[in-house]
Each structure stands twice: as structure tokens, then as C-alpha cells.
Amino acid sequence: MPITEIEGRRLTVTRLDKVLYPATGTTKGEVLHYYALTAGAMLAHLHDRPVSFLRYPDGPDGETFFTKNVPPGTPAWVKTVDLTRRSGKTGRQVVLQDTASLMWAANLVVELHTPQWRTDDPGVADRLVLDLDPGAPATVVDCCAVAGWLRERLSADGLNVYAKTSGSKGLHLLVPIEPTPSDDVTAYAKGIAVEAEHALPERVVHRMTKALRPGKVFIDFSQNSAAKTTATPYTVRARAEPTVSTPVTWDEIDGCTDPADLHFLIGDIAERRERYGDLLGPLINLNRAKPLPHTKRRR
């Protein structure tokens, strides 16, 4: 098995020539190369956040399984933390703090998911997320129209709003906030989703009921719950193609007329980062974090 050294850590990488994405012929080695190139931006968003893994070792067409637990065989140098879960039981999770740890995780073939809070203050969020999920025949184009309304509404409350593709069908809107209990963030986000449904009744639904969703954009506010996670910026998704949850500009959202306009694969990201830098960098800038109105903020 090939052994590589990253930041002084010896890492065994396996089956680099294995085709993970038959639709594009993308190999595991190409996916690992993508993560190595993107590590700097990814690690900024992974820092001090417990990671959940969606594992798909045989590609998106094979078995997939979601786990929060530390995988067997995790090297001692990968940081892990004990956290109390909603069940009241304590579980141990991985925290990816450096390139070597990120590449170790990538070798497992995973999607990376993180909560809206950090390990030093569990259940107290420093960002808000709205997941815009289109119900067919609605597409990401419809999500973009809804995103524009949401941006204006959140801006009216003094909040800064940033966006990325989900890497699947929809969009994620992300808002840096002053530390706020997750329950309060969820309540605020639900209120915004309800307002959006009232303002755009032909386009938006805020309830998860599947019968309500065809042709509309479901605004999933529940990912603000302390127990929930969202796809980490820049993670590769377990989809038919190696799509990436990609930061996008508001000009791109405003100008989106076809789903292909916001469909990005691993080969697209280096050029975008060279052109734009990290469009989600403001999420980790404390000056951009604003208080949520009418919430109990952590002092």
C-alpha cells in the first residue's frame, strides 16, 4: 500500500486507481488530489467543529452509511473529542484540524458534515443556515429566486448572508452570528421560513411534508438544531458525479437561469478559488457576525 508523509505524519492511502464515479471516470486518487489542493479553505470551515461522515467506500452507487463515531483504526494523531448527544449519552467524534487529518478522512471516501457550533461551546451556534431544497419540477433556479428574497429579509435584520451550492440540487444560505443557543437560532430561522412562505406562497414551503413540496422550494430551517449537521463547504458529495458544495457569488445567484449554471465538479474548484478566493471567508470573520434579533445571546 502506498504510504505518503503529510506534515510529518505517515499516512497509508489505498486503491488510488479505483473509479469512484463511473459517470465521469473519476478515481479515488483524483478525489484525494482535490482535497489536498483545497485543504486550506476547507480546514478554515472545519476548525473546531466535530465531523460526521457519510461514507461511500465503493462510490455513490455502492453502500452508504452515516456515522458520527470515530472510525475504527483512527490514528492517535487525529484529534477527537467527547460530546454529549441528544440521547444524553457521550460519544466521541473526529475534529479535522490539519491537512494530514483531512487526507486521512478523505482516504476513507466520505462526505464531511459539521454542525453550526464549535467544540468549545456545544449547542451554541456561531452561524445560521437555511437549506433551500427544490421539489421537482422546481430546480436550483427556483432556489435562487427564493434566496434573493431571503437575503433581503435577513439583511433587513442587519445580517450578512453568504451562499454555496449544496452539491446536490439546492442552495445553502449561511449567516455569521454572535454566539446564540441553537434552539433560539432554530426558532428565528423557522420564523423567516414561515414569512417566506407567506410572501411567496406559489414558490416556498416551510414544512417537510413531501406532499407539499413538488414544484416548490422547501426551506429547511431544522439544520440549525444542535443535533443536526450540514455539508461542509467544499466537501465532495456522494452523487452520480463528483459534485462539490461550492461557494457562489450573489451575481451568480441573481443570474442563474439554468441548473447547469451552478453545477460544479472537483475540477472546477481550483480556478474558482484562484478567481474569487474563499467566498465564505467572511463566515469566520468575527466582524461579520451580528446578533439575531429577539434572541437570548451568549454573553
Side-chain angles (χ1 to χ4, degrees):
M1 293 183 181
I3 296 177
T4 186
E5 186 170 302
I6 302 172
E7 298 176 332
R9 306 292 191 186
R10 288 171 61 83
L11 179 65
T12 300
V13 291
T14 57
R15 306 178 72 184
L16 296 180
D17 59 351
K18 178 182 176 63
V19 174
L20 291 178
Y21 295 89
T24 55
T26 305
T27 65
K28 181 179 176 182
E30 290 172 309
V31 171
L32 265 61
H33 179 67
Y34 161 78
Y35 276 115
L37 288 177
T38 317
M42 283 202 76
L43 288 168
H45 298 288
L46 288 163
H47 188 72
D48 284 348
R49 296 184 195 274
V51 178
S52 300
F53 298 121
L54 176 66
R55 298 185 62 177
Y56 57 111
D58 294 315
D61 296 330
E63 180 186 5
T64 63
F65 54 100
F66 197 80
T67 179
K68 292 187 175 186
N69 296 324
V70 176
T74 298
W77 45 263
V78 173
K79 181 177 178 179
T80 59
V81 293
D82 287 319
L83 295 166
T84 301
R85 297 180 178 162
R86 187 166 52 179
S87 64
K89 295 182 179 180
T90 298
R92 196 156 189 83
Q93 287 184 244
V94 167
V95 185
L96 299 175
Q97 300 287 76
D98 51 48
T99 301
S101 298
L102 176 61
M103 297 308 296
W104 161 79
N107 184 62
L108 299 177
V109 188
V110 293
E111 282 184 7
L112 303 174
H113 294 250
T114 39
Q116 314 316 317
W117 46 266
R118 296 178 181 271
T119 55
D120 60 353
D121 212 354
V124 178
D126 63 356
R127 61 183 60 169
L128 174 152
V129 61
L130 293 172
D131 179 0
L132 310 187
D133 186 11
T139 68
V140 73
V141 177
D142 300 278
C143 292
C144 289
V146 174
W149 186 93
L150 289 167
R151 184 192 189 195
E152 288 190 9
R153 175 61 187 86
L154 293 164
S155 296
D157 277 346
L159 301 172
N160 297 299
V161 189
Y162 306 92
K164 66 182 178 74
T165 67
S166 66
S168 179
K169 299 176 294 182
L171 283 178
H172 295 157
L173 302 188
L174 296 158
V175 179
I177 57 174
E178 292 182 358
T180 305
S182 294
D183 287 348
D184 293 336
V185 181
T186 302
Y188 172 82
K190 180 179 180 179
I192 294 294
V194 171
E195 283 187 42
E197 184 175 320
H198 288 162
L200 305 168
E202 300 303 314
R203 208 159 212 169
V204 170
V205 61
H206 83 278
R207 287 176 288 174
M208 195 175 290
T209 309
K210 288 191 175 181
L212 301 175
R213 293 168 60 177
K216 294 188 177 183
V217 174
F218 168 49
I219 301 179
D220 185 357
F221 57 85
S222 72
Q223 291 183 32
N224 294 286
S225 165
K228 295 288 189 73
T229 60
T230 306
T232 303
Y234 300 104
T235 191
V236 184
R237 302 301 303 267
R239 305 294 172 181
E241 297 179 318
T243 53
V244 172
S245 187
T246 306
V248 292
T249 70
W250 282 102
D251 283 345
E252 288 178 302
I253 290 173
D254 294 341
C256 179
T257 59
D258 187 289
D261 294 340
L262 295 182
H263 183 75
F264 302 110
L265 306 182
I266 57 174
D268 300 319
I269 305 305
E271 185 276 332
R272 288 183 62 80
R273 287 191 57 219
E274 184 175 345
R275 180 178 179 184
Y276 297 118
D278 179 13
L279 289 167
L280 296 183
L283 287 176
I284 49 182
N285 181 342
L286 295 179
N287 293 328
R288 298 288 179 144
K290 305 298 180 183
L292 286 188
H294 312 302
T295 59
K296 302 171 186 175
R297 293 181 294 280
R298 175 65 60 88
R299 298 295 182 183

